[in-house]
Structures are given as C-alpha cells and as structure tokens.
mmCIF file of all heavy atoms in Angstrom:
data_model
loop_
_atom_site.group_PDB
_atom_site.id
_atom_site.type_symbol
_atom_site.label_atom_id
_atom_site.label_comp_id
_atom_site.label_asym_id
_atom_site.label_seq_id
_atom_site.Cartn_x
_atom_site.Cartn_y
_atom_site.Cartn_z
ATOM 1 N N PHE A 1 -14.504 3.963 1.631
ATOM 2 C CA PHE A 1 -15.010 3.232 0.483
ATOM 3 C C PHE A 1 -15.509 1.855 0.857
ATOM 4 O O PHE A 1 -15.983 1.138 -0.069
ATOM 5 C CB PHE A 1 -13.916 3.110 -0.589
ATOM 6 C CG PHE A 1 -13.538 4.475 -1.171
ATOM 7 C CD1 PHE A 1 -12.293 5.068 -0.792
ATOM 8 C CD2 PHE A 1 -14.333 5.114 -2.067
ATOM 9 C CE1 PHE A 1 -11.928 6.263 -1.339
ATOM 10 C CE2 PHE A 1 -14.001 6.341 -2.620
ATOM 11 C CZ PHE A 1 -12.770 6.897 -2.245
ATOM 12 N N GLY A 2 -15.347 1.436 2.111
ATOM 13 C CA GLY A 2 -15.833 0.148 2.466
ATOM 14 C C GLY A 2 -14.713 -0.773 2.892
ATOM 15 O O GLY A 2 -13.640 -0.781 2.319
ATOM 16 N N GLU A 3 -14.990 -1.614 3.893
ATOM 17 C CA GLU A 3 -13.948 -2.452 4.494
ATOM 18 C C GLU A 3 -13.416 -3.499 3.450
ATOM 19 O O GLU A 3 -12.326 -4.058 3.687
ATOM 20 C CB GLU A 3 -14.444 -3.151 5.786
ATOM 21 C CG GLU A 3 -14.594 -2.178 6.980
ATOM 22 C CD GLU A 3 -13.238 -1.576 7.275
ATOM 23 O OE1 GLU A 3 -12.208 -2.292 7.345
ATOM 24 O OE2 GLU A 3 -13.188 -0.333 7.520
ATOM 25 N N LYS A 4 -14.192 -3.904 2.529
ATOM 26 C CA LYS A 4 -13.849 -4.906 1.520
ATOM 27 C C LYS A 4 -13.081 -4.345 0.355
ATOM 28 O O LYS A 4 -12.641 -5.114 -0.524
ATOM 29 C CB LYS A 4 -15.067 -5.680 1.070
ATOM 30 C CG LYS A 4 -15.721 -6.516 2.204
ATOM 31 C CD LYS A 4 -16.813 -7.367 1.679
ATOM 32 C CE LYS A 4 -17.447 -8.170 2.812
ATOM 33 N NZ LYS A 4 -18.545 -9.024 2.291
ATOM 34 N N ALA A 5 -12.881 -3.059 0.290
ATOM 35 C CA ALA A 5 -12.211 -2.459 -0.822
ATOM 36 C C ALA A 5 -10.742 -2.920 -0.875
ATOM 37 O O ALA A 5 -10.087 -2.940 0.228
ATOM 38 C CB ALA A 5 -12.287 -0.958 -0.778
ATOM 39 N N GLY A 6 -10.215 -3.198 -1.967
ATOM 40 C CA GLY A 6 -8.770 -3.452 -2.150
ATOM 41 C C GLY A 6 -8.029 -2.132 -2.304
ATOM 42 O O GLY A 6 -8.460 -1.264 -2.994
ATOM 43 N N VAL A 7 -6.890 -2.054 -1.582
ATOM 44 C CA VAL A 7 -6.082 -0.797 -1.643
ATOM 45 C C VAL A 7 -4.686 -1.081 -2.179
ATOM 46 O O VAL A 7 -4.035 -2.010 -1.729
ATOM 47 C CB VAL A 7 -6.075 -0.148 -0.245
ATOM 48 C CG1 VAL A 7 -5.130 1.077 -0.284
ATOM 49 C CG2 VAL A 7 -7.473 0.211 0.201
ATOM 50 N N ILE A 8 -4.276 -0.218 -3.081
ATOM 51 C CA ILE A 8 -2.860 -0.192 -3.585
ATOM 52 C C ILE A 8 -2.403 1.244 -3.302
ATOM 53 O O ILE A 8 -3.078 2.209 -3.632
ATOM 54 C CB ILE A 8 -2.769 -0.482 -5.082
ATOM 55 C CG1 ILE A 8 -3.371 -1.831 -5.412
ATOM 56 C CG2 ILE A 8 -1.341 -0.345 -5.530
ATOM 57 C CD1 ILE A 8 -3.460 -2.136 -6.909
ATOM 58 N N SER A 9 -1.270 1.445 -2.622
ATOM 59 C CA SER A 9 -0.881 2.766 -2.226
ATOM 60 C C SER A 9 0.632 2.963 -2.159
ATOM 61 O O SER A 9 1.421 1.954 -2.162
ATOM 62 C CB SER A 9 -1.467 3.097 -0.873
ATOM 63 O OG SER A 9 -0.994 2.199 0.165
ATOM 64 N N ILE A 10 1.050 4.156 -2.108
ATOM 65 C CA ILE A 10 2.421 4.513 -1.821
ATOM 66 C C ILE A 10 2.521 5.275 -0.521
ATOM 67 O O ILE A 10 1.579 5.959 -0.111
ATOM 68 C CB ILE A 10 3.098 5.351 -2.970
ATOM 69 C CG1 ILE A 10 2.334 6.678 -3.190
ATOM 70 C CG2 ILE A 10 3.215 4.535 -4.242
ATOM 71 C CD1 ILE A 10 3.021 7.652 -4.129
ATOM 72 N N GLY A 11 3.650 5.166 0.131
ATOM 73 C CA GLY A 11 3.940 5.924 1.370
ATOM 74 C C GLY A 11 4.744 7.171 1.087
ATOM 75 O O GLY A 11 4.921 7.580 -0.059
ATOM 76 N N PRO A 12 5.269 7.789 2.090
ATOM 77 C CA PRO A 12 6.063 8.995 1.937
ATOM 78 C C PRO A 12 7.272 8.839 1.022
ATOM 79 O O PRO A 12 7.648 9.770 0.295
ATOM 80 C CB PRO A 12 6.491 9.350 3.366
ATOM 81 C CG PRO A 12 5.470 8.760 4.222
ATOM 82 C CD PRO A 12 5.020 7.496 3.548
ATOM 83 N N ALA A 13 7.880 7.649 1.011
ATOM 84 C CA ALA A 13 8.997 7.458 0.096
ATOM 85 C C ALA A 13 8.644 7.635 -1.329
ATOM 86 O O ALA A 13 9.368 8.209 -2.159
ATOM 87 C CB ALA A 13 9.653 6.021 0.326
ATOM 88 N N GLY A 14 7.450 7.082 -1.775
ATOM 89 C CA GLY A 14 6.970 7.230 -3.070
ATOM 90 C C GLY A 14 6.609 8.675 -3.372
ATOM 91 O O GLY A 14 6.848 9.198 -4.443
ATOM 92 N N GLU A 15 5.998 9.360 -2.414
ATOM 93 C CA GLU A 15 5.618 10.735 -2.634
ATOM 94 C C GLU A 15 6.879 11.548 -2.859
ATOM 95 O O GLU A 15 6.842 12.509 -3.635
ATOM 96 C CB GLU A 15 4.875 11.230 -1.377
ATOM 97 C CG GLU A 15 3.499 10.654 -1.131
ATOM 98 C CD GLU A 15 2.806 11.237 0.043
ATOM 99 O OE1 GLU A 15 3.065 12.392 0.360
ATOM 100 O OE2 GLU A 15 2.123 10.458 0.748
ATOM 101 N N ASN A 16 8.006 11.206 -2.153
ATOM 102 C CA ASN A 16 9.245 11.930 -2.269
ATOM 103 C C ASN A 16 10.049 11.421 -3.488
ATOM 104 O O ASN A 16 11.213 11.847 -3.619
ATOM 105 C CB ASN A 16 10.010 11.896 -0.999
ATOM 106 C CG ASN A 16 9.366 12.724 0.047
ATOM 107 O OD1 ASN A 16 9.116 13.895 -0.176
ATOM 108 N ND2 ASN A 16 9.145 12.199 1.242
ATOM 109 N N LYS A 17 9.527 10.562 -4.226
ATOM 110 C CA LYS A 17 10.114 9.959 -5.450
ATOM 111 C C LYS A 17 11.499 9.359 -5.252
ATOM 112 O O LYS A 17 12.431 9.540 -6.037
ATOM 113 C CB LYS A 17 10.162 11.039 -6.555
ATOM 114 C CG LYS A 17 8.784 11.661 -6.866
ATOM 115 C CD LYS A 17 8.892 12.766 -7.873
ATOM 116 C CE LYS A 17 7.590 13.485 -8.096
ATOM 117 N NZ LYS A 17 7.086 14.191 -6.883
ATOM 118 N N MET A 18 11.648 8.629 -4.118
ATOM 119 C CA MET A 18 12.856 7.947 -3.816
ATOM 120 C C MET A 18 12.987 6.629 -4.683
ATOM 121 O O MET A 18 12.017 5.910 -4.841
ATOM 122 C CB MET A 18 12.914 7.580 -2.384
ATOM 123 C CG MET A 18 13.027 8.728 -1.473
ATOM 124 S SD MET A 18 13.057 8.319 0.329
ATOM 125 C CE MET A 18 13.179 9.909 1.052
ATOM 126 N N SER A 19 14.154 6.362 -5.215
ATOM 127 C CA SER A 19 14.345 5.258 -6.153
ATOM 128 C C SER A 19 14.184 3.923 -5.525
ATOM 129 O O SER A 19 14.103 2.900 -6.215
ATOM 130 C CB SER A 19 15.690 5.347 -6.789
ATOM 131 O OG SER A 19 15.805 6.480 -7.592
ATOM 132 N N ALA A 20 14.111 3.834 -4.194
ATOM 133 C CA ALA A 20 13.846 2.531 -3.463
ATOM 134 C C ALA A 20 12.422 2.421 -3.057
ATOM 135 O O ALA A 20 12.125 1.499 -2.334
ATOM 136 C CB ALA A 20 14.784 2.444 -2.253
ATOM 137 N N ALA A 21 11.571 3.288 -3.539
ATOM 138 C CA ALA A 21 10.162 3.344 -3.111
ATOM 139 C C ALA A 21 9.371 2.181 -3.776
ATOM 140 O O ALA A 21 9.539 1.883 -4.955
ATOM 141 C CB ALA A 21 9.523 4.639 -3.423
ATOM 142 N N SER A 22 8.518 1.571 -2.998
ATOM 143 C CA SER A 22 7.727 0.430 -3.424
ATOM 144 C C SER A 22 6.267 0.884 -3.523
ATOM 145 O O SER A 22 5.855 1.976 -3.082
ATOM 146 C CB SER A 22 7.887 -0.685 -2.409
ATOM 147 O OG SER A 22 7.399 -0.310 -1.153
ATOM 148 N N ILE A 23 5.410 -0.065 -4.020
ATOM 149 C CA ILE A 23 4.006 0.132 -4.045
ATOM 150 C C ILE A 23 3.399 -0.986 -3.185
ATOM 151 O O ILE A 23 3.659 -2.125 -3.381
ATOM 152 C CB ILE A 23 3.437 0.013 -5.492
ATOM 153 C CG1 ILE A 23 3.966 1.089 -6.354
ATOM 154 C CG2 ILE A 23 1.921 0.003 -5.492
ATOM 155 C CD1 ILE A 23 3.617 1.022 -7.836
ATOM 156 N N ALA A 24 2.614 -0.586 -2.209
ATOM 157 C CA ALA A 24 2.018 -1.512 -1.226
ATOM 158 C C ALA A 24 0.640 -2.005 -1.695
ATOM 159 O O ALA A 24 -0.129 -1.226 -2.202
ATOM 160 C CB ALA A 24 1.851 -0.843 0.149
ATOM 161 N N VAL A 25 0.454 -3.308 -1.546
ATOM 162 C CA VAL A 25 -0.848 -3.949 -1.897
ATOM 163 C C VAL A 25 -1.378 -4.596 -0.603
ATOM 164 O O VAL A 25 -0.663 -5.381 -0.009
ATOM 165 C CB VAL A 25 -0.670 -4.973 -2.999
ATOM 166 C CG1 VAL A 25 -2.036 -5.592 -3.392
ATOM 167 C CG2 VAL A 25 -0.035 -4.376 -4.262
ATOM 168 N N ALA A 26 -2.599 -4.306 -0.242
ATOM 169 C CA ALA A 26 -3.121 -4.778 1.012
ATOM 170 C C ALA A 26 -3.389 -6.279 0.894
ATOM 171 O O ALA A 26 -3.807 -6.789 -0.126
ATOM 172 C CB ALA A 26 -4.402 -4.025 1.358
ATOM 173 N N ASP A 27 -3.224 -6.957 2.019
ATOM 174 C CA ASP A 27 -3.539 -8.387 2.126
ATOM 175 C C ASP A 27 -5.033 -8.495 2.558
ATOM 176 O O ASP A 27 -5.797 -7.519 2.631
ATOM 177 C CB ASP A 27 -2.613 -9.168 3.037
ATOM 178 C CG ASP A 27 -2.658 -8.734 4.475
ATOM 179 O OD1 ASP A 27 -3.548 -7.915 4.873
ATOM 180 O OD2 ASP A 27 -1.867 -9.222 5.310
ATOM 181 N N MET A 28 -5.395 -9.750 2.946
ATOM 182 C CA MET A 28 -6.850 -9.971 3.249
ATOM 183 C C MET A 28 -7.225 -9.252 4.588
ATOM 184 O O MET A 28 -8.417 -8.970 4.751
ATOM 185 C CB MET A 28 -7.074 -11.451 3.359
ATOM 186 C CG MET A 28 -6.988 -12.224 2.058
ATOM 187 S SD MET A 28 -7.594 -13.935 2.101
ATOM 188 C CE MET A 28 -6.261 -14.654 3.140
ATOM 189 N N GLU A 29 -6.267 -8.963 5.390
ATOM 190 C CA GLU A 29 -6.602 -8.221 6.618
ATOM 191 C C GLU A 29 -6.497 -6.659 6.523
ATOM 192 O O GLU A 29 -6.700 -5.935 7.381
ATOM 193 C CB GLU A 29 -5.680 -8.669 7.768
ATOM 194 C CG GLU A 29 -5.995 -10.048 8.376
ATOM 195 C CD GLU A 29 -5.637 -11.189 7.435
ATOM 196 O OE1 GLU A 29 -4.604 -10.996 6.703
ATOM 197 O OE2 GLU A 29 -6.368 -12.180 7.414
ATOM 198 N N GLY A 30 -6.122 -6.240 5.260
ATOM 199 C CA GLY A 30 -5.997 -4.844 5.046
ATOM 200 C C GLY A 30 -4.601 -4.314 5.342
ATOM 201 O O GLY A 30 -4.380 -3.110 5.282
ATOM 202 N N HIS A 31 -3.702 -5.168 5.759
ATOM 203 C CA HIS A 31 -2.358 -4.693 6.065
ATOM 204 C C HIS A 31 -1.560 -4.436 4.740
ATOM 205 O O HIS A 31 -1.573 -5.296 3.855
ATOM 206 C CB HIS A 31 -1.590 -5.720 6.880
ATOM 207 C CG HIS A 31 -2.218 -6.058 8.221
ATOM 208 N ND1 HIS A 31 -2.351 -7.308 8.737
ATOM 209 C CD2 HIS A 31 -2.793 -5.187 9.111
ATOM 210 C CE1 HIS A 31 -2.930 -7.267 9.923
ATOM 211 N NE2 HIS A 31 -3.239 -5.963 10.187
ATOM 212 N N PRO A 32 -0.817 -3.388 4.668
ATOM 213 C CA PRO A 32 -0.120 -2.988 3.393
ATOM 214 C C PRO A 32 1.246 -3.701 3.339
ATOM 215 O O PRO A 32 2.321 -3.081 3.285
ATOM 216 C CB PRO A 32 0.087 -1.523 3.561
ATOM 217 C CG PRO A 32 0.219 -1.265 5.006
ATOM 218 C CD PRO A 32 -0.676 -2.269 5.637
ATOM 219 N N VAL A 33 1.194 -5.022 3.292
ATOM 220 C CA VAL A 33 2.461 -5.799 3.511
ATOM 221 C C VAL A 33 2.870 -6.577 2.261
ATOM 222 O O VAL A 33 3.928 -7.244 2.290
ATOM 223 C CB VAL A 33 2.327 -6.758 4.695
ATOM 224 C CG1 VAL A 33 2.185 -5.969 5.997
ATOM 225 C CG2 VAL A 33 1.187 -7.681 4.515
ATOM 226 N N ARG A 34 2.099 -6.562 1.206
ATOM 227 C CA ARG A 34 2.564 -7.182 -0.053
ATOM 228 C C ARG A 34 2.955 -6.069 -1.002
ATOM 229 O O ARG A 34 2.186 -5.225 -1.303
ATOM 230 C CB ARG A 34 1.394 -8.036 -0.651
ATOM 231 C CG ARG A 34 0.601 -8.905 0.303
ATOM 232 C CD ARG A 34 1.432 -9.731 1.231
ATOM 233 N NE ARG A 34 2.458 -10.572 0.566
ATOM 234 C CZ ARG A 34 3.183 -11.463 1.191
ATOM 235 N NH1 ARG A 34 3.059 -11.658 2.456
ATOM 236 N NH2 ARG A 34 4.052 -12.182 0.490
ATOM 237 N N HIS A 35 4.160 -6.137 -1.420
ATOM 238 C CA HIS A 35 4.733 -4.959 -2.190
ATOM 239 C C HIS A 35 5.260 -5.361 -3.554
ATOM 240 O O HIS A 35 5.901 -6.350 -3.734
ATOM 241 C CB HIS A 35 5.897 -4.320 -1.412
ATOM 242 C CG HIS A 35 5.467 -3.569 -0.232
ATOM 243 N ND1 HIS A 35 5.551 -2.213 -0.151
ATOM 244 C CD2 HIS A 35 4.819 -3.932 0.977
ATOM 245 C CE1 HIS A 35 5.043 -1.721 0.993
ATOM 246 N NE2 HIS A 35 4.568 -2.838 1.663
#
C-alpha cells in the first residue's frame, strides 16, 4: 500500500485472543513499537 502508509496491527497473540494481547501502531520508521 505504500511506504508512507500508517499501519495498526495485531500479532499472533491477538489472533489467538490472548487477554494480554496488544495492538501495535507503527512509528515513523514503520517499526511496530507503539502499543
């Protein structure tokens, strides 16, 4: 979708519906480190 697209995502923990699962929000470098 393009390098400038903002991404919000879940990992395997969210897919498996674990109660400690977070939602990742990408930073300016695209790293999924803001949750």
